[in-house]
Coordinates of all heavy atoms in Angstrom, one line a residue:
M1 N 0.9 -1.0 0.0 CA 0.0 0.0 0.0 C 0.8 1.2 0.0 O 0.9 2.0 0.9 CB -0.9 -0.1 1.2 CG -2.0 -1.0 1.1 SD -3.2 -0.7 2.4 CE -4.1 -2.2 2.4
K2 N 1.6 1.4 -1.1 CA 2.5 2.5 -1.2 C 1.8 3.8 -1.3 O 0.8 4.0 -2.0 CB 3.4 2.4 -2.4 CG 4.4 3.4 -2.5 CD 5.3 3.1 -3.7 CE 6.4 4.2 -3.9 NZ 7.1 4.0 -4.9
G3 N 2.1 4.9 -0.5 CA 1.3 6.2 -0.5 C 0.2 6.2 0.3 O -0.4 7.3 0.4
K4 N -0.2 5.1 1.1 CA -1.4 5.2 1.9 C -0.9 5.0 3.3 O 0.1 4.5 3.7 CB -2.3 3.9 1.5 CG -2.8 4.1 0.1 CD -3.9 3.1 -0.1 CE -4.5 3.3 -1.5 NZ -5.6 2.4 -1.8
S5 N -1.7 5.5 4.2 CA -1.5 5.4 5.6 C -2.8 5.5 6.3 O -3.9 5.4 5.8 CB -0.7 6.7 5.9 OG -0.3 6.5 7.4
V6 N -2.8 5.4 7.6 CA -4.0 5.4 8.5 C -4.5 6.9 8.9 O -3.7 7.7 9.3 CB -3.7 4.7 9.8 CG1 -5.1 4.8 10.7 CG2 -3.4 3.2 9.6
C7 N -5.6 7.2 8.5 CA -6.2 8.6 8.7 C -6.3 8.8 10.3 O -6.7 7.8 10.8 CB -7.5 8.8 8.1 SG -8.4 10.2 8.5
R8 N -5.8 9.9 10.7 CA -5.9 10.3 12.1 C -7.2 10.6 12.7 O -7.5 10.5 13.9 CB -4.9 11.4 12.4 CG -3.4 11.3 12.0 CD -2.8 10.3 12.8 NE -1.4 10.4 12.8 CZ -0.6 10.0 11.9 NH1 -1.1 9.5 10.9 NH2 0.7 10.1 12.0
L9 N -8.1 10.7 11.8 CA -9.5 10.9 12.3 C -10.5 9.7 12.2 O -11.1 9.3 13.2 CB -10.2 12.1 11.4 CG -11.6 12.6 12.0 CD1 -11.5 13.2 13.3 CD2 -12.0 13.7 11.1
C10 N -10.5 9.0 11.0 CA -11.4 7.9 10.9 C -10.8 6.6 11.0 O -11.5 5.6 11.0 CB -12.2 8.0 9.5 SG -11.0 7.6 8.0
N11 N -9.5 6.6 11.1 CA -8.7 5.3 11.3 C -8.8 4.3 10.0 O -8.4 3.2 10.2 CB -8.9 4.6 12.6 CG -8.6 5.3 13.8 OD1 -7.5 5.9 13.8 ND2 -9.3 5.3 14.9
E12 N -9.1 4.8 9.0 CA -9.2 4.1 7.7 C -7.9 4.2 7.0 O -7.2 5.2 7.1 CB -10.3 4.6 6.8 CG -11.7 4.7 7.5 CD -12.5 3.4 7.0 OE1 -12.2 2.9 5.8 OE2 -13.4 3.0 7.8
I13 N -7.4 3.2 6.2 CA -6.4 3.2 5.4 C -6.6 3.8 4.0 O -7.5 3.3 3.4 CB -5.6 1.7 5.3 CG1 -5.1 1.2 6.6 CG2 -4.6 1.8 4.3 CD1 -4.8 -0.2 6.6
A14 N -6.0 4.9 3.8 CA -6.3 5.6 2.6 C -5.1 6.6 2.2 O -4.2 6.6 3.0 CB -7.5 6.4 2.7
K15 N -5.2 7.1 1.0 CA -4.2 8.1 0.7 C -4.3 9.4 1.4 O -5.5 9.9 1.5 CB -4.2 8.5 -0.8 CG -3.1 9.3 -1.4 CD -3.2 9.4 -2.8 CE -2.0 10.5 -3.3 NZ -2.1 10.8 -4.5
M16 N -3.3 10.0 2.0 CA -3.4 11.1 2.9 C -3.3 12.3 2.2 O -2.6 12.4 1.1 CB -2.3 11.0 4.0 CG -2.4 9.8 5.0 SD -4.0 9.8 6.0 CE -4.6 8.4 5.2
Q17 N -3.9 13.4 2.7 CA -3.9 14.8 2.1 C -2.9 15.5 2.9 O -2.8 15.3 4.2 CB -5.3 15.4 2.0 CG -6.2 14.7 1.3 CD -6.0 14.8 -0.1 OE1 -5.7 15.8 -0.6 NE2 -5.9 13.7 -0.8
E18 N -2.2 16.6 2.4 CA -1.5 17.4 3.3 C -2.4 18.3 4.0 O -3.2 19.2 3.3 CB -0.6 18.3 2.4 CG 0.8 17.5 2.1 CD 1.8 18.6 1.6 OE1 1.5 19.5 0.9 OE2 3.0 18.4 1.9
S19 N -2.5 18.3 5.3 CA -3.6 19.1 6.1 C -2.6 20.2 6.7 O -1.5 20.0 7.4 CB -4.1 18.1 7.2 OG -4.7 17.0 6.6
H20 N -3.3 21.4 6.8 CA -2.8 22.4 7.5 C -2.8 22.2 9.0 O -3.8 21.7 9.5 CB -3.5 23.8 7.1 CG -3.2 24.4 6.0 ND1 -4.0 24.2 4.8 CD2 -2.2 25.3 5.6 CE1 -3.5 24.8 3.8 NE2 -2.4 25.5 4.2
I21 N -1.7 22.3 9.7 CA -1.7 22.2 11.2 C -2.5 23.4 11.8 O -3.3 23.2 12.7 CB -0.4 22.2 11.7 CG1 0.5 21.0 11.0 CG2 -0.3 22.1 13.2 CD1 0.0 19.7 11.3
I22 N -2.3 24.6 11.2 CA -3.0 25.8 11.5 C -3.9 26.2 10.4 O -3.4 26.3 9.3 CB -2.0 26.9 11.9 CG1 -1.1 26.6 13.0 CG2 -2.8 28.3 12.2 CD1 0.1 27.5 13.2
P23 N -5.2 26.3 10.7 CA -6.0 26.6 9.4 C -5.5 27.8 8.6 O -5.0 28.8 9.2 CB -7.4 27.0 10.2 CG -7.4 26.3 11.4 CD -6.0 26.2 12.0
R24 N -5.7 27.9 7.4 CA -5.2 28.8 6.5 C -5.7 30.2 6.8 O -4.9 31.1 6.7 CB -5.4 28.6 5.0 CG -4.9 29.4 4.0 CD -4.9 28.7 2.6 NE -4.5 29.7 1.7 CZ -3.3 30.1 1.4 NH1 -2.4 29.7 2.3 NH2 -2.9 30.9 0.4
F25 N -6.9 30.3 7.2 CA -7.4 31.7 7.5 C -6.7 32.3 8.7 O -6.5 33.5 8.9 CB -9.0 31.7 7.7 CG -9.5 31.1 9.0 CD1 -9.5 31.8 10.2 CD2 -9.7 29.6 9.1 CE1 -9.9 31.3 11.5 CE2 -10.2 29.1 10.2 CZ -10.3 29.9 11.4
A26 N -6.4 31.4 9.7 CA -5.6 31.8 10.8 C -4.2 32.2 10.6 O -3.5 33.2 11.1 CB -5.6 30.7 12.0
I27 N -3.6 31.5 9.6 CA -2.2 31.8 9.0 C -2.2 33.2 8.4 O -1.3 34.1 8.7 CB -1.7 30.9 8.1 CG1 -1.5 29.5 8.7 CG2 -0.5 31.3 7.3 CD1 -1.2 28.4 7.8
K28 N -3.3 33.6 7.6 CA -3.4 34.9 7.1 C -3.5 36.0 8.1 O -3.0 37.1 8.0 CB -4.4 35.1 6.2 CG -4.3 34.2 4.8 CD -5.4 34.4 4.0 CE -5.3 33.6 2.6 NZ -6.4 33.8 1.8
F29 N -4.2 35.7 9.2 CA -4.5 36.5 10.4 C -3.1 36.8 11.1 O -2.8 37.9 11.5 CB -5.5 36.1 11.3 CG -5.7 37.0 12.4 CD1 -6.4 38.1 12.2 CD2 -5.4 36.7 13.7 CE1 -6.9 39.0 13.3 CE2 -5.6 37.4 14.7 CZ -6.3 38.7 14.6
I30 N -2.3 35.8 11.2 CA -0.9 35.8 12.0 C 0.0 36.6 11.2 O 0.7 37.5 11.8 CB -0.5 34.5 12.4 CG1 -1.4 33.8 13.4 CG2 0.8 34.5 12.9 CD1 -1.1 32.2 13.5
R31 N 0.1 36.4 9.9 CA 1.2 37.0 9.1 C 0.7 38.4 8.8 O -0.5 38.7 8.6 CB 1.3 36.2 7.7 CG 2.1 34.9 8.1 CD 2.1 34.1 6.9 NE 2.8 34.8 5.7 CZ 2.9 34.2 4.6 NH1 2.6 33.0 4.4 NH2 3.4 34.9 3.6
D32 N 1.6 39.4 8.8 CA 1.4 40.7 8.5 C 1.8 40.9 7.0 O 2.3 40.0 6.2 CB 2.0 41.7 9.4 CG 3.6 41.5 9.4 OD1 4.0 40.7 8.7 OD2 4.3 42.3 9.9
K33 N 1.4 42.1 6.5 CA 1.7 42.5 5.1 C 3.2 42.5 4.7 O 3.5 42.2 3.5 CB 1.0 43.8 4.7 CG -0.4 43.8 4.8 CD -1.2 43.7 3.7 CE -2.7 44.0 4.0 NZ -3.5 43.1 3.4
K34 N 4.0 42.9 5.7 CA 5.5 42.9 5.4 C 6.1 41.5 5.6 O 7.3 41.5 5.4 CB 6.1 44.0 6.2 CG 5.5 45.3 6.0 CD 6.1 46.3 6.8 CE 5.5 47.6 6.6 NZ 6.0 48.7 7.5
L35 N 5.3 40.6 5.8 CA 5.9 39.2 6.2 C 7.0 39.0 7.3 O 8.0 38.4 7.1 CB 6.4 38.5 4.8 CG 5.4 38.3 3.7 CD1 6.1 37.9 2.5 CD2 4.3 37.3 4.1
K36 N 6.8 39.8 8.2 CA 7.7 39.7 9.4 C 7.5 38.5 10.1 O 8.4 38.0 10.7 CB 7.5 41.0 10.3 CG 8.1 42.3 9.7 CD 7.9 43.4 10.6 CE 8.4 44.7 10.1 NZ 8.1 45.8 11.0
H37 N 6.3 38.0 10.2 CA 5.9 36.9 11.0 C 5.9 35.7 9.9 O 4.9 35.5 9.2 CB 4.6 37.0 11.7 CG 4.6 38.3 12.6 ND1 5.3 38.3 13.8 CD2 3.9 39.3 12.5 CE1 5.1 39.4 14.4 NE2 4.3 40.1 13.6
R38 N 6.8 34.9 9.9 CA 6.9 33.8 9.0 C 7.0 32.5 9.6 O 7.2 32.4 10.8 CB 8.2 33.8 8.1 CG 8.2 35.2 7.2 CD 9.4 35.1 6.4 NE 9.4 36.3 5.5 CZ 10.1 36.5 4.3 NH1 11.0 35.5 4.1 NH2 10.0 37.6 3.7
F39 N 6.7 31.4 8.9 CA 6.8 30.0 9.4 C 8.0 29.5 8.8 O 8.5 29.5 7.7 CB 5.4 29.2 8.9 CG 4.4 29.7 9.6 CD1 3.4 30.6 9.1 CD2 4.0 29.1 10.9 CE1 2.3 30.9 9.7 CE2 2.9 29.5 11.5 CZ 2.0 30.4 10.8
Y40 N 8.7 28.5 9.5 CA 9.8 27.9 9.1 C 9.7 26.3 9.3 O 9.1 25.9 10.2 CB 11.1 28.3 10.1 CG 11.4 29.7 9.9 CD1 10.8 30.8 10.6 CD2 12.3 30.2 8.9 CE1 11.2 32.1 10.4 CE2 12.7 31.5 8.8 CZ 12.3 32.5 9.5 OH 12.5 33.7 9.3
K41 N 10.3 25.7 8.4 CA 10.3 24.3 8.4 C 11.7 23.9 8.9 O 12.6 24.2 8.0 CB 9.9 23.5 7.1 CG 9.9 22.1 7.2 CD 9.3 21.5 5.8 CE 9.2 19.9 6.2 NZ 8.4 19.4 5.1
I42 N 11.7 23.2 10.0 CA 13.1 23.0 10.5 C 13.4 21.4 10.1 O 12.7 20.5 10.8 CB 13.2 23.2 11.9 CG1 12.9 24.7 12.2 CG2 14.5 22.9 12.6 CD1 12.8 25.2 13.6
G43 N 14.4 21.1 9.3 CA 14.7 19.8 9.1 C 16.1 19.4 9.5 O 16.7 20.3 10.3
W44 N 16.5 18.4 9.2 CA 17.9 17.9 9.8 C 19.1 18.6 9.0 O 20.1 18.7 9.6 CB 18.0 16.4 9.7 CG 17.9 15.8 8.3 CD1 16.8 15.5 7.6 CD2 19.0 15.5 7.5 NE1 17.1 14.9 6.4 CE2 18.5 14.9 6.2 CE3 20.5 15.5 7.7 CZ2 19.4 14.6 5.2 CZ3 21.2 15.2 6.7 CH2 20.6 14.7 5.4
K45 N 18.7 19.2 7.9 CA 20.0 19.8 7.2 C 19.8 21.2 7.5 O 20.9 21.9 7.8 CB 19.8 19.6 5.6 CG 20.1 18.2 5.2 CD 20.0 18.1 3.7 CE 20.4 16.7 3.3 NZ 20.6 16.6 1.9
Q46 N 18.7 21.9 7.3 CA 18.7 23.4 7.5 C 17.3 23.8 7.7 O 16.3 23.1 7.4 CB 19.3 24.2 6.4 CG 18.5 24.0 5.1 CD 19.3 24.7 4.0 OE1 20.5 24.9 4.0 NE2 18.5 25.1 2.9
K47 N 17.0 25.0 8.2 CA 15.6 25.5 8.3 C 15.4 26.3 7.0 O 16.3 26.8 6.4 CB 15.5 26.3 9.5 CG 16.1 27.7 9.5 CD 15.7 28.4 10.9 CE 16.4 29.8 10.8 NZ 16.0 30.6 12.0
R48 N 14.1 26.3 6.6 CA 13.8 27.1 5.5 C 12.4 27.8 5.6 O 11.5 27.2 6.4 CB 13.8 26.2 4.1 CG 12.8 25.1 4.1 CD 12.9 24.3 2.9 NE 12.1 23.1 2.9 CZ 11.0 23.0 2.4 NH1 10.3 24.0 1.7 NH2 10.3 21.9 2.5
I49 N 12.1 28.8 5.0 CA 10.9 29.5 5.1 C 9.9 28.8 4.3 O 10.1 28.5 3.1 CB 11.1 31.0 4.7 CG1 12.0 31.8 5.5 CG2 9.7 31.7 4.6 CD1 12.4 33.2 4.9
I50 N 8.8 28.8 4.8 CA 7.6 28.1 4.1 C 6.6 29.2 3.7 O 6.2 30.0 4.7 CB 7.0 26.9 4.7 CG1 6.7 27.0 6.2 CG2 8.0 25.7 4.6 CD1 6.0 25.9 6.8
Q51 N 6.0 29.2 2.5 CA 5.1 30.2 2.2 C 3.7 30.1 2.9 O 3.2 31.2 3.4 CB 4.6 30.1 0.7 CG 5.8 30.5 -0.2 CD 6.0 32.0 -0.1 OE1 6.9 32.4 0.4 NE2 5.0 32.7 -0.8
D52 N 3.2 28.9 3.0 CA 1.7 28.8 3.5 C 1.6 28.6 5.0 O 0.9 29.3 5.6 CB 1.2 27.6 2.7 CG -0.3 27.6 2.7 OD1 -0.9 28.5 3.1 OD2 -0.8 26.5 2.4
G53 N 2.3 27.7 5.5 CA 2.1 27.3 7.0 C 2.4 25.8 7.0 O 2.6 25.1 6.0
P54 N 2.6 25.4 8.2 CA 3.1 23.9 8.4 C 1.9 22.9 8.0 O 0.7 23.3 8.3 CB 3.3 23.8 9.9 CG 2.7 25.1 10.6 CD 2.6 26.1 9.5
K55 N 2.3 21.9 7.3 CA 1.3 20.9 6.8 C 1.8 19.6 7.2 O 3.1 19.3 7.3 CB 1.2 21.0 5.3 CG 0.6 22.3 4.7 CD 0.5 22.2 3.4 CE -0.1 23.5 2.7 NZ 0.0 23.5 1.3
E56 N 1.0 18.6 7.4 CA 1.4 17.2 7.8 C 0.4 16.3 6.9 O -0.8 16.7 6.6 CB 1.2 16.7 9.2 CG 2.1 17.6 10.1 CD 3.5 16.8 10.1 OE1 3.6 15.7 9.8 OE2 4.5 17.6 10.4
N57 N 0.8 15.1 6.6 CA -0.1 14.1 6.0 C -1.0 13.4 7.1 O -0.4 12.5 7.6 CB 0.6 13.1 5.2 CG 1.3 13.8 3.9 OD1 0.7 14.6 3.4 ND2 2.4 13.2 3.5
L58 N -2.1 14.0 7.4 CA -2.7 13.6 8.6 C -4.1 12.9 8.3 O -4.5 11.9 8.9 CB -3.1 14.8 9.5 CG -1.9 15.4 10.2 CD1 -2.3 16.6 10.9 CD2 -1.2 14.4 11.0
L59 N -4.8 13.4 7.3 CA -6.2 13.0 7.0 C -6.4 12.5 5.6 O -5.8 13.0 4.7 CB -7.2 14.2 7.3 CG -7.1 15.0 8.7 CD1 -8.0 16.3 8.7 CD2 -7.5 13.9 9.8
C60 N -7.4 11.7 5.4 CA -7.8 11.2 4.2 C -8.6 12.3 3.6 O -9.0 13.2 4.2 CB -8.6 9.9 4.3 SG -10.2 10.0 5.0
T61 N -8.8 12.2 2.2 CA -9.7 13.3 1.5 C -11.0 13.5 2.0 O -11.4 14.6 2.3 CB -9.8 12.7 0.0 OG1 -8.5 12.5 -0.5 CG2 -10.5 13.9 -0.8
K62 N -11.7 12.4 2.4 CA -13.1 12.5 3.0 C -13.1 13.3 4.2 O -13.9 14.3 4.5 CB -13.7 11.1 3.3 CG -15.1 11.1 3.6 CD -15.6 9.8 3.8 CE -15.4 9.3 5.3 NZ -15.8 8.0 5.7
C63 N -12.2 13.0 5.2 CA -12.1 13.7 6.5 C -11.6 15.1 6.3 O -12.0 16.0 6.9 CB -11.2 13.0 7.4 SG -11.8 11.2 7.9
E64 N -10.7 15.3 5.4 CA -10.2 16.7 5.1 C -11.3 17.6 4.7 O -11.5 18.8 5.1 CB -9.1 16.7 4.0 CG -8.5 18.0 3.7 CD -7.6 18.6 4.8 OE1 -6.8 17.8 5.5 OE2 -7.5 19.8 5.0
Q65 N -12.2 17.0 3.8 CA -13.3 17.8 3.5 C -14.4 18.1 4.5 O -14.9 19.2 4.6 CB -14.0 17.2 2.2 CG -13.2 17.1 1.0 CD -13.7 16.3 -0.3 OE1 -14.8 15.7 0.0 NE2 -13.2 16.5 -1.4
Q66 N -14.5 17.2 5.3 CA -15.4 17.4 6.4 C -14.8 18.4 7.4 O -15.7 19.2 7.8 CB -15.5 16.0 7.3 CG -16.5 15.0 6.9 CD -16.7 13.9 7.8 OE1 -15.7 13.3 8.2 NE2 -17.9 13.6 8.3
I67 N -13.7 18.3 7.8 CA -13.0 19.3 8.7 C -13.1 20.7 8.0 O -13.3 21.7 8.7 CB -11.6 18.9 9.0 CG1 -11.4 17.7 9.9 CG2 -10.8 20.0 9.6 CD1 -11.9 17.8 11.2
G68 N -12.9 20.8 6.7 CA -13.0 22.1 5.9 C -14.4 22.7 6.2 O -14.4 23.9 6.3
K69 N -15.4 22.0 6.3 CA -16.8 22.6 6.4 C -16.7 23.2 7.9 O -17.3 24.4 8.0 CB -17.8 21.6 6.3 CG -18.0 21.0 5.0 CD -19.0 19.8 5.0 CE -19.1 19.2 3.7 NZ -20.0 18.0 3.5
Y70 N -16.3 22.5 8.8 CA -16.3 23.1 10.2 C -15.4 24.3 10.4 O -15.6 25.3 11.0 CB -15.9 22.1 11.2 CG -16.9 20.9 11.3 CD1 -16.6 19.7 10.9 CD2 -18.2 21.2 11.9 CE1 -17.7 18.6 11.0 CE2 -19.2 20.2 12.0 CZ -18.9 18.9 11.5 OH -19.9 18.0 11.6
E71 N -14.1 24.3 9.7 CA -13.4 25.4 9.7 C -14.0 26.7 9.0 O -13.8 27.7 9.5 CB -12.1 25.1 8.9 CG -11.0 24.2 9.5 CD -9.8 24.0 8.7 OE1 -9.7 24.4 7.5 OE2 -8.9 23.3 9.2
Q72 N -14.8 26.4 7.9 CA -15.4 27.5 7.2 C -16.5 28.1 8.2 O -16.6 29.3 8.4 CB -16.1 27.1 5.9 CG -16.9 28.1 5.2 CD -15.8 29.1 4.6 OE1 -14.7 28.9 4.3 NE2 -16.3 30.3 4.5
Y73 N -17.2 27.3 8.9 CA -18.3 27.7 9.9 C -17.4 28.6 10.9 O -18.0 29.6 11.3 CB -18.9 26.5 10.5 CG -19.8 26.9 11.5 CD1 -21.2 27.5 11.3 CD2 -19.6 26.8 13.0 CE1 -21.9 27.9 12.3 CE2 -20.4 27.1 13.9 CZ -21.6 27.6 13.6 OH -22.4 28.1 14.7
F74 N -16.4 28.0 11.5 CA -15.7 28.6 12.6 C -15.2 30.1 12.1 O -15.4 31.1 12.8 CB -14.5 27.9 13.0 CG -13.7 28.4 14.2 CD1 -14.2 28.5 15.4 CD2 -12.4 29.0 13.9 CE1 -13.5 29.1 16.4 CE2 -11.8 29.5 14.9 CZ -12.2 29.6 16.2
K75 N -14.7 30.0 10.8 CA -14.1 31.3 10.2 C -15.2 32.4 10.2 O -15.0 33.6 10.5 CB -13.5 31.1 8.9 CG -13.1 32.2 8.2 CD -12.5 31.8 6.8 CE -12.6 33.0 5.9 NZ -12.0 32.6 4.5
E76 N -16.4 31.9 9.7 CA -17.5 33.0 9.5 C -18.0 33.4 10.9 O -18.4 34.6 11.0 CB -18.7 32.2 8.6 CG -18.3 32.1 7.3 CD -19.2 31.2 6.4 OE1 -20.3 30.8 7.0 OE2 -18.9 31.0 5.2
A77 N -18.0 32.5 11.9 CA -18.5 32.9 13.2 C -17.5 33.9 13.9 O -18.0 34.8 14.5 CB -18.6 31.6 14.1
I78 N -16.2 33.7 13.6 CA -15.3 34.5 14.2 C -15.1 35.9 13.5 O -15.1 37.0 14.2 CB -13.8 33.9 14.3 CG1 -13.8 32.6 15.1 CG2 -12.8 34.9 14.7 CD1 -14.1 32.8 16.6
Y79 N -15.2 35.9 12.3 CA -15.1 37.2 11.5 C -16.4 37.7 11.4 O -16.8 38.6 10.8 CB -14.3 37.1 10.3 CG -12.8 36.7 10.4 CD1 -12.3 35.4 10.0 CD2 -12.0 37.6 10.9 CE1 -11.0 35.0 10.2 CE2 -10.6 37.2 11.1 CZ -10.2 36.0 10.7 OH -8.8 35.7 10.8

């Protein structure tokens, strides 16, 4: 099962999606226009700046879409 893993939400074996650790709308809120507040990916060789925010292969496509609906609801309720 190359490229497949266990989804952290439903525990099914499926192809994982790159999931934002911090929701994208929150990343936009944290970062300012001059990009003073940046995210870094720290690896064993060197750290590097990442454009979007930290991501991990955590959820399957189905669960990622489910979580996305709740993130949208949360975003609308907060803003």
